[in-house]
Amino acid sequence: MSAVLDHHAGHDDHAHDHPTGWRRWLYATNHKDIGTLYLWFAFVMLLSGGVLALTIRLELFQPGLQYVQPEFFNQLTTLHGLIMVFGAIMPAFVGFANWQVPLMIGASDMAFARMNNFSFWLMPPAALLLVGSFFVPGGATAAGWTLYAPLSVQMGVGMDMAIFAVHILGASSIMGSINIITTILNMRAPGMTLMKMPLFVWTWLITAYLLIAVMPVLAGAITMVLTDRHFGTSFFNAAGGGDPVMYQHIFWFFGHPEVYIMILPAFGIVSEIIPTFARKRLFGYSSMVYATASIAILSFIVWAHHMFTTGMPVTGQLFFMYATMLIAVPTGVKIFNWVATMWRGSMTFETPMLFAIGFIFVFTIGGLTGIILSVAPLDIQLHDTYYVVAHFHYVLVAGSLFALFAGVYYWIPKWTGHMYDERLGQFHFWASLITFNVTFFPMHFLGLAGMPRRYADYPMQFADFNQVASIGALGFGLSQLIFLACVLKCIKGGKPATPQVWESAQGLEWTLPSPAPYHSFETPPTVK
């Protein structure tokens, strides 16, 4: 009986005790508030990483050293990579998971609300450690975002700050993943079997397992760097019997699944949006689920394709080359399914759909350059050139980031209760798409011509393409201010959104009023 009474008392607390002001955010246990915190944090980090990128492009606008010294240039490239990967892209997807997963499976909240709060509040201190490392003696780490030994063993105190920051961010990711897995497996609405889950939920379930599998591997690698630096071990020091190439093996065993951690939720978002605006069911739902799972499994056996130039035996090169090519199959299945969903659909081109189609178009280019880089003899020529930079920006910016934009435009009416400004959204899309290609397409040619990455200076023959890329980068950076304006305008007000924001959208989140109430699905819905 006392348990029942306690339960009611708890329920009453919920009803009356709405913390307001700063307490609402600091003590947030509501999945929607925490999702909002993640999304704003990710956007701030996106702008911070963008400022570093623009400084890099400013230096590369002309040959010769103009604004920054080579040492500082390498700090910029390193921190730009770390901030964008661990501070912008990943937290943004976790923000989407927090907001959308409970709404899509008909759960009242995430499984572990306090842990959810803790996993967010680990991130700002880690971000401060990363950004603050610029201001310590010796500056930030300049070992590249991969933190390769032996460079990372020799850096100053900024390197230790980066190691601790990545540790904290990793702990945050693991806690978030445990929460997401528990929520999806245990809190689905009655009648929602695994094969009835929205694809976004599926992609996050698989991504969360990937995170739990690989974040400890990264933690191990950077802990070994830390003990090499301060405690006299020599894991990566050849003079003490270690091997710097071992660091690469450990890092990329984390790093390659990490690449898919940053793209699978994007696939999920695009798989929600395209059926809505094509007004058709998603083509080949089960094949999409199996493709996602096979990408995740294959991602563990391709890591050494980042290491073709380390003197790997030919047998090893062949294995990793074929394994990498194999990943193109499930990825191709996804792209064909999206195209087949659009085929003969009655399509309209609102901003979410534009970003989703833009994603498919540009991500496919990134995928094709990936297949080119999987061929060992070609990769040996192109390794560490701007061709690689172009390839992974096509996958991560035009992949992950475009999908994130698509998701924000798609769900923001549900979050805020207001429709966004369609003209502003379309302007943001076209500005982003054009300036993105102006920035990164020329880098393919720079790489083919042999320009190495992470160099602050270059000979005259690379000047023209670098100039074009730098102008494009400035345009791309400014385009994101349009996005900020569009989001702020939507939060402040605008046309009220209906519960069913898009006429043909399917899913439980569209059964709730817009904006979604603070507590949703207190009695779980039944899925037919």
Side-chain angles (χ1 to χ4, degrees):
M1 183 65 195
S2 63
V4 176
L5 288 174
D6 284 350
H7 171 76
H8 280 298
H11 193 80
D12 271 346
D13 287 348
H14 264 299
H16 301 299
D17 189 26
H18 263 312
T20 50
W22 59 271
R23 281 187 182 80
R24 171 181 171 185
W25 302 105
L26 184 62
Y27 304 138
T29 49
N30 183 287
H31 72 98
K32 303 179 182 75
D33 285 353
I34 294 174
T36 306
L37 285 169
Y38 268 110
L39 290 168
W40 277 113
F41 172 80
F43 190 68
V44 169
M45 294 311 281
L46 181 79
L47 295 183
S48 319
V51 170
L52 304 185
L54 289 178
T55 317
I56 294 168
R57 289 310 326 167
L58 185 69
E59 177 54 58
L60 294 172
F61 186 70
Q62 284 179 312
L65 291 176
Q66 337 283 332
Y67 303 99
V68 299
Q69 289 305 308
E71 299 81 12
F72 184 64
F73 183 86
N74 285 349
Q75 293 175 28
L76 288 171
T77 52
T78 302
L79 269 267
H80 165 70
L82 286 171
I83 285 172
M84 289 305 203
V85 169
F86 295 108
I89 299 291
M90 286 171 67
F93 280 129
V94 180
F96 269 95
N98 263 299
W99 248 107
Q100 290 307 127
V101 165
L103 296 184
M104 291 174 133
I105 63 174
S108 55
D109 207 309
M110 297 294 273
F112 306 115
R114 298 233 164 118
M115 184 163 91
N116 206 8
N117 172 292
F118 188 49
S119 56
F120 171 75
W121 283 112
L122 282 174
M123 303 197 83
L128 287 173
L129 272 175
L130 274 180
V131 177
S133 64
F134 276 121
F135 305 103
V136 297
T141 167
W145 83 274
T146 52
L147 307 176
Y148 271 7
L151 271 178
S152 52
V153 180
Q154 299 158 2
M155 297 273 151
V157 95
M159 182 69 212
D160 298 318
M161 293 171 79
I163 288 175
F164 283 121
V166 172
H167 263 303
I168 296 169
L169 292 164
S172 166
S173 291
I174 289 172
M175 288 198 294
S177 302
I178 292 170
N179 214 339
I180 288 165
I181 291 172
T182 312
T183 306
I184 294 173
L185 294 184
N186 294 320
M187 297 175 69
R188 299 193 305 282
M192 182 178 281
T193 57
L194 285 176
M195 289 313 266
K196 281 186 191 163
M197 293 196 310
L199 254 166
F200 177 70
V201 180
W202 256 116
T203 52
W204 244 116
L205 180 64
I206 291 167
T207 303
Y209 276 112
L210 278 180
L211 273 165
I212 289 176
V214 300
M215 289 316 283
V217 178
L218 175 67
I222 58 180
T223 306
M224 288 152 92
V225 169
L226 195 69
T227 58
D228 273 13
R229 290 167 56 80
H230 299 293
F231 301 106
T233 57
S234 39
F235 291 112
F236 308 128
N237 179 1
D243 182 1
V245 175
M246 178 170 78
Y247 177 87
Q248 297 188 28
H249 278 289
I250 303 169
F251 178 87
W252 285 115
F253 189 79
F254 146 82
H256 206 81
E258 164 67 16
V259 175
Y260 295 99
I261 286 164
M262 290 189 283
I263 200 69
L264 291 180
F267 291 164
I269 291 174
V270 171
S271 304
E272 297 300 325
I273 292 173
I274 285 184
T276 298
F277 295 100
R279 289 163 181 76
K280 276 175 66 188
R281 287 188 54 185
L282 182 72
F283 180 88
Y285 171 91
S286 47
S287 64
M288 290 293 254
V289 173
Y290 295 131
T292 309
S294 27
I295 289 174
I297 292 160
L298 288 170
S299 74
F300 283 101
I301 60 163
V302 295
W303 78 90
H305 67 208
H306 298 267
M307 301 170 53
F308 283 145
T309 56
T310 54
M312 194 189 301
V314 174
T315 342
Q317 289 189 2
L318 280 172
F319 169 80
F320 285 107
M321 177 164 116
Y322 292 138
T324 307
M325 289 177 175
L326 200 58
I327 278 201
V329 178
T331 314
V333 167
K334 286 178 166 296
I335 289 169
F336 281 120
N337 282 6
W338 291 322
V339 174
T341 306
M342 292 189 282
W343 175 249
R344 304 188 73 172
S346 48
M347 292 209 289
T348 50
F349 299 98
E350 286 86 348
T351 312
M353 185 63 161
L354 286 176
F355 269 108
I357 295 173
F359 164 90
I360 294 173
F361 170 66
V362 199
F363 175 77
T364 305
I365 296 175
L368 291 170
T369 55
I371 294 175
I372 289 166
L373 288 169
S374 73
V375 182
L378 288 175
D379 181 81
I380 288 167
Q381 291 300 313
L382 296 170
H383 186 79
D384 262 341
T385 67
Y386 265 78
Y387 192 87
V388 178
V389 178
H391 156 70
F392 69 71
H393 281 87
Y394 264 80
V395 176
L396 283 181
V397 181
S400 305
L401 191 63
F402 275 22
L404 285 164
F405 287 147
V408 170
Y409 285 114
Y410 185 58
W411 281 305
I412 203 169
K414 181 56 69 189
W415 299 343
T416 62
H418 305 295
M419 293 304 290
Y420 61 89
D421 182 330
E422 186 63 54
R423 278 181 55 194
L424 217 51
Q426 304 227 354
F427 182 41
H428 172 225
F429 168 73
W430 288 110
S432 295
L433 184 75
I434 292 162
T435 54
F436 168 80
N437 282 292
V438 170
T439 308
F440 293 104
F441 204 74
M443 292 185 189
H444 293 104
F445 303 119
L446 286 169
L448 288 165
M451 178 171 167
R453 67 185 191 174
R454 296 181 187 160
Y455 276 42
D457 191 8
Y458 53 86
M460 200 60 215
Q461 71 257 34
F462 301 133
D464 297 350
F465 277 140
N466 268 305
Q467 213 152 36
V468 171
S470 290
I471 293 166
L474 181 65
F476 187 72
L478 292 173
S479 306
Q480 305 329 309
L481 298 178
I482 308 168
F483 175 66
L484 178 62
C486 195
V487 169
L488 290 175
K489 190 174 169 187
C490 183
I491 293 170
K492 278 213 177 101
K495 210 176 88 193
T498 57
Q500 176 81 24
V501 178
W502 312 105
E503 61 194 88
S504 47
Q506 299 285 318
L508 291 177
E509 73 264 42
W510 309 109
T511 62
L512 292 167
S514 305
Y518 193 72
H519 292 296
S520 40
F521 296 126
E522 286 188 337
T523 44
T526 309
V527 177
K528 294 282 185 292

